[in-house]
Amino acid sequence: MMVTVVTPSQAIAAEEAGACAVIPLDAPNMVLKTKEGALRATSIAAVNMIMDRVLIPVVGRVRVGHIIEAKAMEAAKVSCIDEHELINPITTAYVPETTQHIAFKDGHNGAYGYVHKVASARIYKQPFRVPFMCGASDLGEALTRIQEGASVIRTAYPADEDTHEVAKTFETVRKIADSICQIVDGDDAKLYGLQTTYGVSIELLRMVKQQKRLPVPFFAAGGVFMPVDVAMLRSMGCDGVIVSMRVFKTLSVEVRLNDIMTALAHYDNPDVLAEIVERSGGYGAKPTANG
Protein backbone atom coordinates (compact mmCIF):
# COMPACT_ATOMS: atom_id res chain seq x y z
CA MET A 1 0.00 0.00 0.00
CA MET A 2 1.26 3.43 -1.02
CA VAL A 3 -0.68 6.45 0.21
CA THR A 4 -0.89 9.94 -1.28
CA VAL A 5 -0.50 12.54 1.46
CA VAL A 6 -0.23 16.30 1.97
CA THR A 7 0.59 16.70 5.65
CA PRO A 8 3.12 14.99 7.94
CA SER A 9 0.27 13.71 10.15
CA GLN A 10 -1.23 11.91 7.15
CA ALA A 11 2.16 10.39 6.30
CA ILE A 12 2.61 9.24 9.90
CA ALA A 13 -0.86 7.66 9.87
CA ALA A 14 0.02 5.79 6.68
CA GLU A 15 3.33 4.63 8.13
CA GLU A 16 1.68 3.41 11.34
CA ALA A 17 -0.87 1.45 9.28
CA GLY A 18 1.94 -0.38 7.47
CA ALA A 19 2.18 1.51 4.17
CA CYS A 20 5.22 0.61 2.07
CA ALA A 21 5.57 4.23 0.86
CA VAL A 22 3.93 7.64 0.81
CA ILE A 23 3.54 10.02 -2.14
CA PRO A 24 3.63 13.68 -1.03
CA LEU A 25 1.63 16.40 -2.75
CA ASP A 26 1.78 20.15 -2.10
CA ALA A 27 -2.01 20.20 -1.93
CA PRO A 28 -4.96 18.16 -3.23
CA ASN A 29 -5.05 18.23 -7.02
CA MET A 30 -8.29 20.20 -7.22
CA VAL A 31 -6.85 22.88 -4.93
CA LEU A 32 -3.68 23.15 -7.02
CA LYS A 33 -5.64 23.40 -10.28
CA THR A 34 -7.89 26.11 -8.83
CA LYS A 35 -4.97 28.07 -7.37
CA GLU A 36 -2.36 27.67 -10.11
CA GLY A 37 -4.41 26.65 -13.14
CA ALA A 38 -2.55 23.36 -13.64
CA LEU A 39 -0.87 20.51 -11.83
CA ARG A 40 2.88 20.55 -11.35
CA ALA A 41 5.61 18.42 -9.89
CA THR A 42 5.68 18.11 -6.12
CA SER A 43 8.00 20.69 -4.58
CA ILE A 44 11.23 19.56 -2.96
CA ALA A 45 10.11 21.39 0.19
CA ALA A 46 6.99 19.24 0.43
CA VAL A 47 9.03 16.09 -0.16
CA ASN A 48 11.60 17.05 2.49
CA MET A 49 8.87 17.88 5.00
CA ILE A 50 7.48 14.35 4.71
CA MET A 51 10.90 12.68 4.58
CA ASP A 52 11.82 14.38 7.86
CA ARG A 53 8.85 12.80 9.62
CA VAL A 54 8.66 9.19 8.38
CA LEU A 55 11.08 6.33 7.89
CA ILE A 56 9.24 4.57 5.05
CA PRO A 57 10.11 5.32 1.39
CA VAL A 58 8.92 8.61 -0.08
CA VAL A 59 7.98 8.89 -3.76
CA GLY A 60 8.57 12.12 -5.68
CA ARG A 61 6.30 13.03 -8.60
CA VAL A 62 7.69 14.67 -11.74
CA ARG A 63 6.42 15.61 -15.17
CA VAL A 64 6.63 13.16 -18.04
CA GLY A 65 9.93 13.61 -19.85
CA HIS A 66 11.35 16.20 -17.42
CA ILE A 67 14.88 14.99 -16.70
CA ILE A 68 15.78 18.04 -14.59
CA GLU A 69 12.89 17.49 -12.18
CA ALA A 70 13.85 13.82 -11.95
CA LYS A 71 17.48 14.72 -11.23
CA ALA A 72 16.31 17.13 -8.52
CA MET A 73 14.19 14.42 -6.91
CA GLU A 74 17.13 12.01 -7.01
CA ALA A 75 19.34 14.66 -5.37
CA ALA A 76 16.67 15.08 -2.68
CA LYS A 77 17.16 11.36 -1.96
CA VAL A 78 13.61 10.19 -2.63
CA SER A 79 13.22 6.41 -2.72
CA CYS A 80 11.31 6.36 -6.01
CA ILE A 81 10.30 8.78 -8.79
CA ASP A 82 6.79 8.75 -10.24
CA GLU A 83 6.77 10.00 -13.84
CA HIS A 84 3.20 11.20 -13.65
CA GLU A 85 1.01 11.62 -16.72
CA LEU A 86 -1.48 14.12 -15.23
CA ILE A 87 1.10 16.68 -14.20
CA ASN A 88 1.42 19.16 -17.07
CA PRO A 89 3.76 17.21 -19.36
CA ILE A 90 6.59 18.57 -21.41
CA THR A 91 7.23 16.89 -24.71
CA THR A 92 10.26 16.30 -26.86
CA ALA A 93 8.22 14.25 -29.32
CA TYR A 94 8.78 16.79 -32.12
CA VAL A 95 12.43 15.69 -32.23
CA PRO A 96 12.75 12.49 -34.31
CA GLU A 97 14.38 9.72 -32.27
CA THR A 98 14.52 12.01 -29.22
CA THR A 99 18.01 12.27 -27.75
CA GLN A 100 18.27 13.00 -24.03
CA HIS A 101 21.62 14.21 -22.68
CA ILE A 102 22.29 12.87 -19.20
CA ALA A 103 24.46 15.45 -17.43
CA PHE A 104 25.41 13.34 -14.42
CA LYS A 105 27.24 10.15 -13.56
CA ASP A 106 25.70 7.01 -15.07
CA GLY A 107 24.41 4.81 -12.25
CA HIS A 108 25.35 1.58 -14.02
CA ASN A 109 28.83 2.05 -15.43
CA GLY A 110 30.15 5.09 -13.56
CA ALA A 111 30.91 7.05 -16.75
CA TYR A 112 30.07 10.69 -17.38
CA GLY A 113 28.61 12.47 -20.38
CA TYR A 114 26.53 9.63 -21.82
CA VAL A 115 23.97 10.45 -24.50
CA HIS A 116 21.01 8.10 -24.74
CA LYS A 117 18.86 7.92 -27.85
CA VAL A 118 15.20 7.29 -27.09
CA ALA A 119 12.26 7.23 -29.51
CA SER A 120 10.00 8.57 -26.78
CA ALA A 121 9.10 11.74 -24.89
CA ARG A 122 9.63 9.79 -21.65
CA ILE A 123 12.63 9.96 -19.35
CA TYR A 124 15.29 7.38 -20.13
CA LYS A 125 15.59 5.80 -16.71
CA GLN A 126 18.60 3.52 -16.88
CA PRO A 127 21.23 6.08 -15.75
CA PHE A 128 19.30 6.93 -12.56
CA ARG A 129 20.11 5.21 -9.30
CA VAL A 130 16.54 5.80 -8.06
CA PRO A 131 13.82 3.46 -9.37
CA PHE A 132 10.95 4.86 -11.41
CA MET A 133 7.21 4.20 -11.22
CA CYS A 134 5.13 4.85 -14.35
CA GLY A 135 1.47 4.64 -15.32
CA ALA A 136 0.04 2.39 -18.02
CA SER A 137 -3.41 2.09 -19.53
CA ASP A 138 -2.74 -1.20 -21.35
CA LEU A 139 -0.14 -3.96 -21.58
CA GLY A 140 1.74 -2.41 -24.49
CA GLU A 141 2.24 0.80 -22.56
CA ALA A 142 3.28 -1.12 -19.44
CA LEU A 143 5.90 -3.11 -21.35
CA THR A 144 7.20 0.01 -23.08
CA ARG A 145 7.69 1.72 -19.72
CA ILE A 146 9.47 -1.38 -18.35
CA GLN A 147 11.76 -1.47 -21.37
CA GLU A 148 12.59 2.20 -20.70
CA GLY A 149 13.65 1.21 -17.20
CA ALA A 150 10.56 1.52 -14.99
CA SER A 151 10.77 -0.62 -11.85
CA VAL A 152 7.09 -0.30 -10.85
CA ILE A 153 3.97 -0.05 -13.01
CA ARG A 154 0.69 1.46 -11.82
CA THR A 155 -2.56 1.98 -13.65
CA ALA A 156 -2.69 5.34 -15.42
CA TYR A 157 -4.92 8.18 -14.27
CA PRO A 158 -7.32 9.29 -17.02
CA ALA A 159 -8.77 11.90 -14.64
CA ASP A 160 -7.72 13.88 -11.60
CA GLU A 161 -6.95 11.75 -8.58
CA ASP A 162 -9.54 13.66 -6.54
CA THR A 163 -12.36 12.75 -8.96
CA HIS A 164 -11.12 9.48 -10.46
CA GLU A 165 -13.71 6.71 -10.44
CA VAL A 166 -12.42 3.35 -9.27
CA ALA A 167 -14.42 1.69 -12.06
CA LYS A 168 -11.82 3.06 -14.52
CA THR A 169 -9.07 1.46 -12.44
CA PHE A 170 -10.84 -1.90 -12.57
CA GLU A 171 -11.22 -1.53 -16.32
CA THR A 172 -7.48 -0.92 -16.81
CA VAL A 173 -6.45 -3.80 -14.52
CA ARG A 174 -8.80 -6.16 -16.35
CA LYS A 175 -7.52 -5.03 -19.75
CA ILE A 176 -3.90 -5.66 -18.75
CA ALA A 177 -4.76 -9.02 -17.17
CA ASP A 178 -6.63 -10.15 -20.30
CA SER A 179 -3.69 -9.18 -22.52
CA ILE A 180 -1.31 -11.14 -20.29
CA CYS A 181 -3.57 -14.19 -20.63
CA GLN A 182 -3.33 -13.88 -24.42
CA ILE A 183 0.47 -13.94 -24.17
CA VAL A 184 0.44 -16.93 -21.82
CA ASP A 185 -1.88 -18.87 -24.14
CA GLY A 186 -0.13 -17.78 -27.36
CA ASP A 187 2.63 -19.48 -29.32
CA ASP A 188 5.89 -18.00 -30.63
CA ALA A 189 4.14 -16.59 -33.68
CA LYS A 190 1.83 -14.66 -31.36
CA LEU A 191 4.80 -13.30 -29.41
CA TYR A 192 6.59 -12.13 -32.55
CA GLY A 193 3.41 -10.42 -33.69
CA LEU A 194 3.09 -8.63 -30.35
CA GLN A 195 6.75 -7.65 -30.54
CA THR A 196 5.91 -5.69 -33.68
CA THR A 197 2.67 -4.31 -32.23
CA TYR A 198 4.12 -3.18 -28.90
CA GLY A 199 7.63 -2.33 -30.09
CA VAL A 200 9.30 -4.18 -27.21
CA SER A 201 11.88 -6.95 -27.07
CA ILE A 202 10.91 -10.59 -27.55
CA GLU A 203 12.81 -11.38 -24.33
CA LEU A 204 10.45 -9.14 -22.35
CA LEU A 205 7.40 -10.82 -23.88
CA ARG A 206 8.83 -14.25 -23.09
CA MET A 207 9.39 -13.13 -19.52
CA VAL A 208 5.70 -12.20 -19.23
CA LYS A 209 4.71 -15.56 -20.73
CA GLN A 210 6.92 -17.48 -18.32
CA GLN A 211 5.95 -15.56 -15.19
CA LYS A 212 2.29 -15.13 -16.22
CA ARG A 213 2.39 -11.54 -14.98
CA LEU A 214 4.30 -8.30 -15.41
CA PRO A 215 7.96 -8.76 -14.47
CA VAL A 216 7.80 -5.78 -12.06
CA PRO A 217 5.40 -4.91 -9.20
CA PHE A 218 1.98 -3.79 -10.46
CA PHE A 219 -0.10 -1.31 -8.42
CA ALA A 220 -3.69 -0.19 -8.93
CA ALA A 221 -4.15 3.59 -8.65
CA GLY A 222 -7.09 5.94 -8.96
CA GLY A 223 -10.12 6.20 -6.70
CA VAL A 224 -8.91 3.43 -4.40
CA PHE A 225 -9.86 3.82 -0.74
CA MET A 226 -12.46 1.10 -0.07
CA PRO A 227 -11.06 -2.15 1.40
CA VAL A 228 -13.47 -4.30 -0.61
CA ASP A 229 -12.16 -2.73 -3.83
CA VAL A 230 -8.60 -3.36 -2.66
CA ALA A 231 -9.36 -7.06 -2.13
CA MET A 232 -10.92 -7.28 -5.59
CA LEU A 233 -7.92 -5.62 -7.22
CA ARG A 234 -5.56 -8.02 -5.44
CA SER A 235 -7.61 -10.96 -6.70
CA MET A 236 -7.23 -9.60 -10.24
CA GLY A 237 -3.44 -9.74 -10.04
CA CYS A 238 -2.34 -6.42 -8.53
CA ASP A 239 0.55 -6.54 -6.08
CA GLY A 240 -0.66 -3.49 -4.20
CA VAL A 241 -2.65 -0.26 -4.40
CA ILE A 242 -2.04 3.47 -4.27
CA VAL A 243 -4.59 4.81 -1.82
CA SER A 244 -6.40 8.00 -2.75
CA MET A 245 -6.33 11.01 -0.44
CA ARG A 246 -10.07 10.52 -0.07
CA VAL A 247 -9.18 7.99 2.62
CA PHE A 248 -8.51 10.94 4.93
CA LYS A 249 -12.17 12.00 4.67
CA THR A 250 -13.50 8.73 6.07
CA LEU A 251 -14.99 8.42 9.54
CA SER A 252 -11.91 6.75 11.01
CA VAL A 253 -8.73 7.11 8.98
CA GLU A 254 -6.78 4.71 11.22
CA VAL A 255 -9.41 1.98 10.95
CA ARG A 256 -9.78 2.44 7.19
CA LEU A 257 -6.04 2.26 6.53
CA ASN A 258 -5.72 -0.83 8.72
CA ASP A 259 -8.66 -2.43 6.90
CA ILE A 260 -6.99 -1.74 3.54
CA MET A 261 -3.83 -3.47 4.76
CA THR A 262 -5.90 -6.41 5.98
CA ALA A 263 -7.71 -6.61 2.63
CA LEU A 264 -4.36 -6.69 0.83
CA ALA A 265 -3.12 -9.57 2.97
CA HIS A 266 -6.37 -11.56 3.21
CA TYR A 267 -8.08 -10.80 -0.11
CA ASP A 268 -8.92 -14.50 -0.52
CA ASN A 269 -10.42 -14.97 2.96
CA PRO A 270 -14.22 -14.37 2.84
CA ASP A 271 -14.62 -14.37 6.63
CA VAL A 272 -12.07 -11.60 7.12
CA LEU A 273 -13.50 -9.59 4.23
CA ALA A 274 -17.04 -9.89 5.60
CA GLU A 275 -15.93 -8.21 8.81
CA ILE A 276 -14.23 -5.43 6.88
CA VAL A 277 -17.24 -4.81 4.63
CA GLU A 278 -19.51 -4.52 7.66
CA ARG A 279 -17.11 -2.10 9.36
CA SER A 280 -16.49 0.12 6.31
CA GLY A 281 -19.92 0.15 4.73
CA GLY A 282 -20.06 3.94 4.29
CA TYR A 283 -17.73 6.47 2.73
CA GLY A 284 -18.47 8.96 5.49
CA ALA A 285 -16.96 12.30 6.39
CA LYS A 286 -15.03 13.02 9.52
CA PRO A 287 -17.29 13.51 12.55
CA THR A 288 -17.61 17.10 13.70
CA ALA A 289 -17.21 18.39 17.23
CA ASN A 290 -21.00 18.37 17.54
CA GLY A 291 -21.16 14.73 16.44
Side-chain angles (χ1 to χ4, degrees), residues 78-141:
V78 296
S79 299
C80 182
I81 297 172
D82 182 10
E83 191 177 14
H84 202 278
E85 61 277 359
L86 283 190
I87 303 174
N88 276 10
I90 65 165
T91 179
T92 52
Y94 64 89
V95 181
E97 294 291 315
T98 300
T99 300
Q100 297 184 354
H101 297 263
I102 310 302
F104 54 89
K105 193 173 183 179
D106 191 294
H108 291 280
N109 56 31
Y112 286 89
Y114 265 71
V115 176
H116 296 278
K117 199 173 185 182
V118 190
S120 170
R122 294 274 179 164
I123 295 170
Y124 184 72
K125 302 158 185 67
Q126 300 293 349
F128 287 83
R129 296 179 180 86
V130 177
F132 274 75
M133 174 167 64
C134 294
S137 56
D138 55 44
L139 181 61
E141 191 174 1

Side-chain angles (χ1 to χ4, degrees), residues 220-285:
V224 179
F225 66 104
M226 291 291 288
V228 66
D229 291 336
V230 171
M232 182 67 179
L233 290 163
R234 276 286 280 130
S235 72
M236 295 170 68
C238 294
D239 298 299
V241 296
I242 297 177
V243 179
S244 167
M245 281 190 60
R246 279 181 272 182
V247 73
F248 296 108
K249 296 181 181 179
T250 55
L251 289 171
S252 174
V253 174
E254 180 182 353
V255 170
R256 179 60 62 89
L257 288 171
N258 286 329
D259 282 346
I260 289 173
M261 286 298 295
T262 302
L264 283 168
H266 301 283
Y267 67 94
D268 55 353
N269 187 326
D271 295 331
V272 173
L273 295 177
E275 294 178 7
I276 293 175
V277 170
E278 183 177 1
R279 187 161 52 243
S280 61
Y283 291 83

Side-chain angles (χ1 to χ4, degrees), residues 42-101:
T42 305
S43 69
I44 299 297
V47 169
N48 286 335
M49 178 177 65
I50 299 302
M51 288 176 65
D52 287 343
R53 299 296 298 274
V54 298
L55 297 176
I56 58 176
V58 174
V59 179
R61 282 186 173 173
V62 303
R63 284 178 281 179
V64 167
H66 207 304
I67 293 178
I68 300 303
E69 286 179 350
K71 288 167 61 178
M73 285 294 177
E74 183 175 51
K77 301 190 185 312
V78 296
S79 299
C80 182
I81 297 172
D82 182 10
E83 191 177 14
H84 202 278
E85 61 277 359
L86 283 190
I87 303 174
N88 276 10
I90 65 165
T91 179
T92 52
Y94 64 89
V95 181
E97 294 291 315
T98 300
T99 300
Q100 297 184 354
H101 297 263

Side-chain angles (χ1 to χ4, degrees), residues 191-250:
L191 294 187
Y192 282 109
L194 290 175
Q195 180 187 19
T196 302
T197 301
Y198 294 155
V200 298
S201 69
I202 193 67
E203 290 78 14
L204 183 55
L205 290 166
R206 284 175 175 156
M207 196 179 299
V208 172
K209 181 178 177 66
Q210 181 182 17
Q211 298 181 12
K212 301 180 180 180
R213 51 160 293 147
L214 290 177
V216 300
F218 178 40
F219 278 67
V224 179
F225 66 104
M226 291 291 288
V228 66
D229 291 336
V230 171
M232 182 67 179
L233 290 163
R234 276 286 280 130
S235 72
M236 295 170 68
C238 294
D239 298 299
V241 296
I242 297 177
V243 179
S244 167
M245 281 190 60
R246 279 181 272 182
V247 73
F248 296 108
K249 296 181 181 179
T250 55

